[in-house]
Amino acid sequence: MNIIDTHQTNNQLAPNHWHEWVVNSAVDPELTALNVRSLSGSEIYEYLLYALPQNARRNDGRLRDGYLKRYAHVESGAWWVSGLDPSIIGYRWTGDG
């Protein structure tokens, strides 16, 4: 059995997400293990909606119903990819090789 068939051991990624990334999409297993994690429950909203303005929440801190309804489909599970925004770190790819 090779690395592509073997689920990583760090438990950050559910087997179905591992299969989606590594087997179906042919992303390098090491890159996947380092940068992708499975999310569930309220953790999904913490990652997805972290940058919302304060008025997107009710007085008790709960997200407004519109956001909860809009993103209800993610409650069955989701994945998150860590990465850098090149515009923030000052790198610009010019396509010159």
Side-chain angles (χ1 to χ4, degrees):
M1 189 179 298
N2 62 35
I3 187 80
I4 291 176
D5 297 326
T6 306
H7 183 256
Q8 85 291 3
T9 59
N10 65 10
N11 295 325
Q12 286 194 142
L13 200 56
N16 62 315
H17 294 151
W18 177 261
H19 191 270
E20 178 181 350
W21 276 83
V22 176
V23 178
N24 293 351
S25 300
V27 176
D28 180 77
E30 188 173 347
L31 286 174
T32 302
L34 290 171
N35 295 296
V36 184
R37 65 174 291 157
S38 293
L39 304 175
S40 62
S42 63
E43 182 182 38
I44 295 170
Y45 294 107
E46 293 171 18
Y47 278 78
L48 183 62
L49 305 174
Y50 71 93
L52 287 176
Q54 188 59 35
N55 64 2
R57 299 184 178 276
R58 301 180 339 176
N59 287 341
D60 62 359
R62 184 175 168 266
L63 285 168
R64 297 198 180 275
D65 290 341
Y67 288 105
L68 295 174
K69 288 177 185 174
R70 183 179 304 154
Y71 296 105
H73 64 280
V74 301
E75 290 185 8
S76 62
W79 46 257
W80 179 264
V81 179
S82 299
L84 297 174
D85 181 348
S87 67
I88 293 174
I89 59 174
Y91 173 79
R92 298 276 190 255
W93 182 68
T94 60
D96 295 338

